[in-house]
Amino acid sequence: MKVRVQQEDFDVGTEIAAMRRSRPKIGAIASFVGVVRDVNDGDSVATMTLEHYPGMTEKSIAAIIDEARGRWEVLDALVIHRVGTLKPTDQIVLVIVASAHRGDAFAACEFIMDYLKTRAPFWKKEITPQGGRWVDARVTDDAAAERWQQPVSKVK
Amino acid sequence: MKVRVQQEDFDVGTEIAAMRRSRPKIGAIASFVGVVRDVNDGDSVATMTLEHYPGMTEKSIAAIIDEARGRWEVLDALVIHRVGTLKPTDQIVLVIVASAHRGDAFAACEFIMDYLKTRAPFWKKEITPQGGRWVDARVTDDAAAERWQQPVSKVK
Amino acid sequence: MITLLYFARLREALGTGQEQLAQPASVNTLGALRAHLAQRGGAWAKEMAEGRNLRAAVNQTVATADTPVSDGDEVAFFPPVTGG
Amino acid sequence: MITLLYFARLREALGTGQEQLAQPASVNTLGALRAHLAQRGGAWAKEMAEGRNLRAAVNQTVATADTPVSDGDEVAFFPPVTGG
């Protein structure tokens, strides 16, 4: 289980290959990449700057992964979140979950993303033609995280 | 939207990079990699041979992707499925779905995997210490595909 | 002629993956074709028996017993799929 | 001393990201600390006002108004998070 907060880009293939290596119990790897879009709330976005809370951010993500491990069968997990200035089409965040079965891998991966969105201390500032603006938290993100409070059906 | 059935291995990072390139509407990329495990139904697996129905397999997968596009906002999708002889820790299948939003990307990716498992003409033969055996279809795979028949809640 | 294809466990049990069959007069549906093949006896009788969990496609589209079968069609028989 | 941290929009509005504060005698909880900071007036009064949607952590753990605050603690104030 690894958490990395970094300015550098990442490569999904490299990370998945490292996770698979010598781990013959792994049958399913679900992953998610968040990408900077060129439009948000109707305005075009030139660049985006991500700020975090060093220390607490890493601890929060580790706690989210631990919670996922308590709910599903997780053989390994990795979260990489970039900070600093990014532009449209740049990768922001990577979540990879390996499990024996695909149902667990998908559920744990989506759970980690939803919780990361609402619990990990990151803040986005977008530069648009109208100037800089801090992105507001989304009600839909809270709703996405909250649905995991209900009992979840397990499909393996 | 692309479908490839091939003997060669694939690299998730390369495929995701190709999908992202010059596509600034993409905000979310969900992917899944299926991997050969060293144990199935309690027996150790030395190698596995995958057979398919050339022509129908590609058409079936294309139809599954089309169905996903009708249900969720899908900006791009790719399915690669390997055939031939594979060994534990080898990659078998890759599904990538790109969308503006993560809820659509996750749902469409898992849907495609579940339907591929039960609808695309592939057959697995495992070589174990007890000899070769064709893998039986799983009731749990049918259940996983069937749950998509019910109305699906959309979280963006 | 009808092109017949057999896959996976079925291909091995029947000892063939492909054959050309002149359409018998009595065979106008997939169900009738299956019954016709079962009459060959031996492995054919066993594998094509009504109780067997067998899937089929006509011209690469999933088919059922009442799906029409015509001269020139490609008909495939195979076990439930296990990919992914 | 208490270490105070401010992030993102809050950091910009207050014009500072970090300060050391000698613990006032009246301040034993996060809520009391917030009220104390609001009394500085200007941007502080506005940003620390009770109605503002502000989050906080004490020693890097999410905290609420009744969370105890002691000498040596690290207290952070920040807007709702927007990562991912």
Side-chain angles (χ1 to χ4, degrees):
Chain A
M1 313 290 157
K2 291 195 205 73
V3 177
R4 301 198 323 243
V5 179
Q6 63 188 40
Q7 296 212 347
E8 304 77 53
D9 199 8
F10 50 79
D11 178 71
V12 195
T14 303
E15 302 300 340
I16 288 180
M19 197 175 280
R20 282 196 298 122
R21 198 167 298 138
S22 314
R23 301 286 295 279
K25 304 303 168 205
I26 292 176
I29 300 175
S31 63
F32 178 83
V33 177
V35 181
V36 182
R37 290 190 297 153
D38 65 353
V39 168
N40 194 23
D41 291 337
D43 290 315
S44 62
V45 174
T47 66
M48 164 180 290
T49 301
L50 274 142
E51 181 173 333
H52 78 300
Y53 181 171
M56 183 175 171
T57 301
E58 293 82 352
K59 286 204 296 186
S60 303
I61 298 172
I64 291 165
I65 293 175
D66 276 348
E67 191 158 342
R69 293 174 69 190
R71 292 186 182 217
W72 296 280
E73 185 194 326
V74 172
L75 291 171
D76 204 355
L78 168 70
V79 173
I80 300 177
H81 202 300
R82 293 177 72 189
V83 290
T85 298
L86 304 174
K87 60 184 194 310
T89 79
D90 280 352
Q91 302 184 118
I92 307 170
V93 60
L94 170 65
V95 178
I96 307 179
V97 174
S99 177
H101 303 285
R102 73 185 183 285
D104 291 79
F106 271 116
C109 186
E110 189 167 12
F111 171 89
I112 290 170
M113 258 317 291
D114 284 348
Y115 268 46
L116 191 154
K117 277 261 180 190
T118 56
R119 293 198 183 177
F122 290 101
W123 302 274
K124 278 181 191 148
K125 186 176 193 175
E126 295 172 345
I127 310 300
T128 74
Q130 288 73 43
R133 66 173 181 197
W134 290 96
V135 176
D136 282 332
R138 286 178 189 278
V139 174
T140 51
D141 285 334
D142 288 333
E146 266 163 29
R147 76 202 157 105
W148 297 102
Q149 310 282 353
Q150 277 114 49
V152 175
S153 67
K154 249 182 143 166
V155 179
K156 290 204 175 180
Chain B
M1 314 291 157
K2 289 195 206 76
V3 177
R4 296 185 347 227
V5 178
Q6 63 188 40
Q7 297 212 345
E8 304 78 55
D9 198 8
F10 51 77
D11 179 72
V12 193
T14 303
E15 302 300 339
I16 287 181
M19 197 176 279
R20 280 196 300 124
R21 197 167 297 138
S22 313
R23 301 286 295 279
K25 305 302 169 208
I26 292 176
I29 300 176
S31 62
F32 179 83
V33 176
V35 181
V36 182
R37 290 190 296 152
D38 65 352
V39 168
N40 194 21
D41 289 337
D43 290 316
S44 62
V45 174
T47 67
M48 163 180 288
T49 301
L50 273 142
E51 181 173 332
H52 79 300
Y53 181 171
M56 182 174 173
T57 301
E58 293 82 351
K59 286 204 297 186
S60 302
I61 298 172
I64 290 165
I65 293 174
D66 276 348
E67 191 159 341
R69 293 175 68 191
R71 292 184 182 219
W72 296 280
E73 186 194 326
V74 173
L75 292 171
D76 204 355
L78 168 70
V79 174
I80 300 178
H81 202 300
R82 294 177 72 190
V83 290
T85 298
L86 303 175
K87 60 182 194 310
T89 78
D90 280 352
Q91 301 185 118
I92 307 172
V93 60
L94 171 65
V95 178
I96 306 180
V97 173
S99 176
H101 303 286
R102 73 183 184 286
D104 291 77
F106 272 115
C109 186
E110 189 167 12
F111 171 89
I112 289 170
M113 257 319 290
D114 284 348
Y115 268 45
L116 190 155
K117 278 260 179 190
T118 55
R119 294 198 184 176
F122 289 101
W123 302 274
K124 277 181 191 149
K125 186 177 193 175
E126 295 172 344
I127 310 299
T128 73
Q130 288 73 45
R133 65 171 183 200
W134 290 96
V135 176
D136 282 332
R138 286 178 188 279
V139 174
T140 52
D141 285 333
D142 288 333
E146 266 163 30
R147 77 202 156 103
W148 297 103
Q149 312 281 351
Q150 277 113 49
V152 175
S153 67
K154 249 182 141 161
V155 178
K156 288 205 173 178
Chain C
M1 303 294 277
I2 298 169
T3 300
L4 293 176
L5 302 175
Y6 310 103
F7 289 99
R9 182 184 51 67
L10 195 67
R11 175 175 49 73
E12 290 187 347
L14 300 177
T16 181
Q18 180 161 1
E19 65 172 299
Q20 298 291 322
L21 180 75
Q23 185 171 18
S26 65
V27 169
N28 294 307
T29 65
L30 181 65
L33 174 60
R34 182 171 169 173
H36 175 82
L37 295 171
Q39 287 172 358
R40 291 174 172 180
W44 296 90
K46 181 183 170 198
E47 297 296 336
M48 294 289 167
E50 278 194 29
R52 294 293 277 187
N53 194 357
L54 204 60
R55 308 294 164 89
V58 174
N59 297 326
Q60 305 192 355
T61 299
V62 171
T64 54
D66 57 0
T67 300
V69 171
S70 313
D71 193 58
D73 283 352
E74 173 178 303
V75 179
F77 291 97
F78 45 82
V81 306
T82 58
Chain D
M1 301 294 277
I2 298 169
T3 300
L4 293 175
L5 302 175
Y6 310 103
F7 289 99
R9 180 184 51 68
L10 195 67
R11 175 176 49 74
E12 291 187 348
L14 299 177
T16 182
Q18 179 162 3
E19 64 174 300
Q20 299 292 321
L21 180 75
Q23 184 172 20
S26 64
V27 170
N28 295 305
T29 65
L30 182 65
L33 175 60
R34 182 170 170 175
H36 176 83
L37 295 171
Q39 286 173 359
R40 291 175 171 178
W44 295 89
K46 182 183 169 198
E47 297 297 334
M48 294 288 168
E50 277 192 32
R52 295 293 276 189
N53 193 357
L54 203 60
R55 308 293 164 91
V58 174
N59 297 325
Q60 305 192 354
T61 300
V62 171
T64 55
D66 57 0
T67 300
V69 170
S70 312
D71 193 59
D73 282 352
E74 174 179 302
V75 179
F77 291 96
F78 45 82
V81 305
T82 58

